[in-house]
Amino acid sequence: MSTEFTFVVEKNCPICGKSTRVVKVKSRLVATQVDNDYCCHYRDFEPYRYHIWVCEHCGFAADEKVFLTALPMSKRELMGNALVEKNVHFDFHEERDVPDGIASVKLAIFCAEVLKAPLARMAGITLRLAWIYRLSGNRDKEKIYLEKALNLYIRSLETERYPIDTLTDSMVMYLIGALYADLGVRDKAVLYLSRLVEEKNRSPVANDKLYRDARRLWQAVREGTADSVDGTEPEAKAEQAAREKASAPAKKEAPVKKKSGFSRWFS
């Protein structure tokens, strides 16, 4: 079973050990825009709703890498007991709407908290939740989770040793600056981004793209033009979105599906 952008595979859940269906996203996505915090906008599809795999038996939720990582028995029992206590149930659907996408990420945050995951990893999950709200047009909720992700990244930078997963301390410093910029806290955005710019000047060995992004955003924040740092003015973006909406073929009304159990608990 597959759609234009997704396909279903079966994997063993690391908590209950049962074979469960999970949805993977195909690689043929076309990016139309990348935001300052690296949220990608794709043509005709929103992959962040599918970033989290959820076991349809016990309700364990995590990204692919964590889901496929073997856990010690102590953590399996801890997580299994927490899911039973929460009484989480998941009705599998290959296509996720916005509420199910949001609920899956909130469930993953709950599981990460139970397993005491690194703060940097929890920040990344929370940031993706903010992106789902952003792409669905809910700015108020987006800001709430941007602030949560920001606080987690700051705590991580202060207390954790890097690298963590694929993150370095420089990447987290950039993300902190980008999130401050998006939340309108210009002085702190400039502070964190300037640290990266100064670090690049001191060390010739560095992630060139990251530091180019940091310098560009640093200059944009100082000039008050952070919204157009990706090279597209806000008015042009709005006009482009309007043209795409007008030219897009009418979508057939999706059949009403039963709301998944985890949506009821984590909506």
Side-chain angles (χ1 to χ4, degrees):
M1 180 170 59
S2 66
T3 68
E4 182 180 358
F5 298 105
T6 64
F7 61 98
V8 176
V9 297
E10 292 197 11
K11 300 291 181 179
N12 290 332
C13 173
I15 303 302
C16 69
K18 296 180 180 179
S19 178
T20 182
R21 293 168 294 176
V22 295
V23 178
K24 297 195 69 171
V25 176
K26 296 177 182 177
S27 58
R28 53 175 143 183
L29 301 180
V30 179
T32 59
Q33 176 185 323
V34 181
D35 296 336
N36 296 328
D37 56 7
Y38 297 136
C39 172
C40 288
H41 299 238
Y42 295 95
R43 184 178 301 161
D44 302 324
F45 188 70
E46 204 280 85
Y48 300 116
R49 303 178 199 171
Y50 301 87
H51 180 73
I52 299 300
W53 290 3
V54 183
C55 175
E56 58 188 312
H57 305 292
C58 70
F60 177 65
D63 63 28
E64 179 177 353
K65 181 177 180 180
V66 173
F67 202 96
L68 296 178
T69 300
L71 295 174
M73 181 58 69
S74 59
K75 288 194 173 184
R76 291 175 58 184
E77 291 179 350
L78 177 67
M79 189 73 257
N81 291 336
L83 291 168
V84 170
E85 182 178 348
K86 201 74 174 178
N87 193 25
V88 176
H89 174 70
F90 173 57
D91 295 323
F92 178 83
H93 297 287
E94 183 175 1
E95 295 187 42
R96 288 183 183 172
D97 54 18
V98 172
D100 274 357
I102 289 170
S104 69
V105 181
K106 288 185 176 181
L107 179 53
I109 292 172
F110 166 75
C111 291
E113 290 173 343
V114 171
L115 294 176
K116 295 183 173 18
L119 295 171
R121 185 181 299 163
M122 293 178 60
I125 302 172
T126 305
L127 182 56
R128 280 172 173 76
L129 180 55
W131 292 350
I132 295 177
Y133 281 120
R134 175 183 303 170
L135 296 172
S136 65
N138 191 333
R139 176 60 176 168
D140 291 339
K141 290 280 190 170
E142 177 200 347
K143 289 179 66 175
I144 289 173
Y145 288 96
L146 287 178
E147 290 175 354
K148 289 179 182 292
L150 171 62
N151 291 331
L152 285 166
Y153 277 129
I154 291 173
R155 288 170 53 200
S156 172
L157 194 62
E158 293 173 345
T159 62
E160 295 181 325
R161 296 186 64 179
Y162 292 87
I164 298 174
D165 296 333
T166 60
L167 281 176
T168 65
D169 53 353
S170 295
M171 293 176 185
V172 170
M173 197 176 298
Y174 170 82
L175 285 171
I176 291 173
L179 294 178
Y180 269 131
D182 195 31
L183 292 167
V185 188
R186 295 177 58 187
D187 55 341
K188 292 189 176 180
V190 169
L191 175 64
Y192 278 90
L193 293 169
S194 64
R195 291 179 184 175
L196 279 178
V197 173
E198 293 169 1
E199 182 179 327
K200 171 63 174 177
N201 293 335
R202 290 194 303 266
S203 174
V205 180
N207 183 328
D208 285 338
K209 181 183 184 306
L210 179 68
Y211 290 104
R212 286 198 305 270
D213 291 344
R215 176 173 286 278
R216 185 168 61 245
L217 181 55
W218 172 67
Q219 291 175 335
V221 172
R222 293 177 67 200
E223 296 167 2
T225 59
D227 286 344
S228 58
V229 72
D230 63 355
T232 306
E233 294 296 332
E235 293 82 359
K237 290 179 183 179
E239 291 177 4
Q240 180 182 354
R243 288 196 299 269
E244 290 177 352
K245 184 176 180 180
S247 61
K251 295 183 178 180
K252 295 181 180 180
E253 185 174 349
V256 177
K257 66 182 180 67
K258 180 181 176 182
K259 193 174 185 182
S260 66
F262 75 101
S263 289
R264 290 194 292 271
W265 285 111
F266 293 92
S267 58

